[in-house]
Amino acid sequence: MAIEEPDAADLLLRVSRRLLRRVGDRLAPLGVTQAQVRALRALDREHRPVRMGLLAERLDVVPRSATSLIDALAAAGLVRREADPDDRRAVAVSLTPEGRRTLVAVRRVRRQVADELLAPLDRDQRAALRSLLEAVAASGPARAGP
Amino acid sequence: MAIEEPDAADLLLRVSRRLLRRVGDRLAPLGVTQAQVRALRALDREHRPVRMGLLAERLDVVPRSATSLIDALAAAGLVRREADPDDRRAVAVSLTPEGRRTLVAVRRVRRQVADELLAPLDRDQRAALRSLLEAVAASGPARAGP
DNA sequence: TATTGTTATACTCTATAACTATA
DNA sequence: TATAGTTATAGAGTATAACAATA
């Protein structure tokens, strides 16, 4: 009888847990956590100051959770809160030069870890994996429907 | 210039975050969390009472963290702590019948969510994904060397 | 003295609820 | 009244450090 036949979901979780672990371990010296990196990346993608509400949406967290992330990043000098000129209730967040430098270092770490993790695959296999994951990622949002 | 070309690691994280979210949402009604499920599964794989130290190792957490997980599972009646007859310092943990029933329900949920998530892929593509992930998973432990 | 697990404590991430300032 | 973000609080997960009981 088949004792263990891990399905794709099991393997996905196992591999990504490993990836998260390794990236997390190597992010520590940079003084940032993975969730914070996710926020930095989201800010970087916008190419302009981002409101808290939009940031929370991009990260798929509630606004309050974005506040915590930005608190930590601002304390570390990686982002800056500014007043939104159009709406005095709103807060616009942007990367500082230090935040950009950190992102560069983060990318280097991520690339290294990914290379190590995917070492068992050759070029074609990596391309195949990327295209399969792209197909999965492309469909639907993170949570069940509203 | 290429604006965004997510690499395999990015996609892996994105997809698995989605998977974790959805599984987590549907696990809530069963009264267990993902980390607890991981512990239940680890216990189930052993087919006998498991010491805390071994469990922690299997889960790749420090022993203290295993204590927290088992506290919650024991309070929910899903596992039981017993004295180890051979070593009175040690504690042996085993699944209760209720714990086994919960695992059955958990497997159903996981399968459903995985099916939904992987819906964009056909049979062959899923098989390809599984085999690629297997190759990645098969090599090396979760953390950097000791 | 070394090992097993636990108590004590702390930090990150995330969430809900209530509040403030503005619209 | 509705919206944007925050303060207050809580729970899960994990970690380190100190300690108890036992080996």
Side-chain angles (χ1 to χ4, degrees), chain A residues 33 35 61-62 64-65 87-89:
Chain A
T33 65
V61 297
V62 297
R64 177 60 184 89
S65 299
D87 184 340
R88 286 195 304 173
R89 294 170 303 179

Side-chain angles (χ1 to χ4, degrees), chain A residues 62-140:
Chain A
V62 297
R64 177 60 184 89
S65 299
T67 297
S68 289
L69 288 173
I70 295 304
D71 282 349
L73 290 172
L78 306 183
V79 305
R80 179 179 12 178
R81 277 183 171 103
E82 301 153 34
D84 184 311
D86 299 345
D87 184 340
R88 286 195 304 173
R89 294 170 303 179
V91 172
V93 183
S94 49
L95 289 175
T96 62
E98 176 75 23
R100 291 189 193 287
R101 278 193 291 276
T102 298
L103 259 183
V104 171
V106 164
R107 287 196 193 99
R108 192 162 42 232
V109 164
R110 287 174 62 96
R111 219 172 298 127
Q112 278 173 3
V113 173
D115 280 352
E116 288 169 19
L117 191 85
L118 300 180
L121 305 184
D122 63 31
R123 251 184 88 86
D124 288 350
Q125 288 175 319
R126 289 195 201 194
L129 178 60
R130 187 166 52 242
S131 110
L132 289 168
L133 290 174
E134 238 156 25
V136 173
S139 75

Side-chain angles (χ1 to χ4, degrees), chain B:
Chain B
M1 68 187 191
I3 292 236
E4 301 242 342
E5 187 174 351
D7 58 26
D10 272 330
L11 291 164
L12 199 58
L13 289 176
R14 200 185 306 174
V15 169
S16 63
R17 194 183 318 275
R18 192 177 299 182
L19 179 59
L20 282 169
R21 264 277 161 87
R22 292 195 192 171
V23 172
D25 286 352
R26 301 229 215 145
L27 243 33
L30 299 179
V32 288
T33 65
Q34 312 228 38
Q36 288 163 15
V37 164
R38 223 158 72 82
L40 291 177
R41 283 159 56 95
L43 292 173
D44 189 49
R45 273 192 292 269
E46 294 295 326
H47 303 300
R48 65 173 146 310
V50 178
R51 285 194 179 194
M52 294 299 296
L54 177 59
L55 178 63
E57 193 180 307
R58 288 289 145 85
L59 297 177
D60 192 20
V61 297
V62 298
R64 177 61 184 91
S65 300
T67 297
S68 289
L69 288 173
I70 294 304
D71 282 349
L73 290 170
L78 306 183
V79 305
R80 181 182 4 172
R81 277 184 170 104
E82 301 153 34
D84 184 311
D86 299 344
D87 184 340
R88 287 195 302 174
R89 293 171 304 180
V91 172
V93 182
S94 49
L95 288 175
T96 61
E98 177 75 20
R100 290 188 193 289
R101 279 193 290 277
T102 297
L103 259 184
V104 171
V106 165
R107 288 195 192 100
R108 193 162 43 231
V109 164
R110 287 174 62 96
R111 220 172 298 129
Q112 279 174 4
V113 173
D115 280 352
E116 288 168 20
L117 192 85
L118 301 180
L121 306 184
D122 63 31
R123 253 185 85 86
D124 288 350
Q125 288 175 319
R126 289 197 203 193
L129 178 60
R130 186 165 54 244
S131 110
L132 288 168
L133 290 174
E134 238 156 24
V136 173
S139 74
R143 305 195 96 108

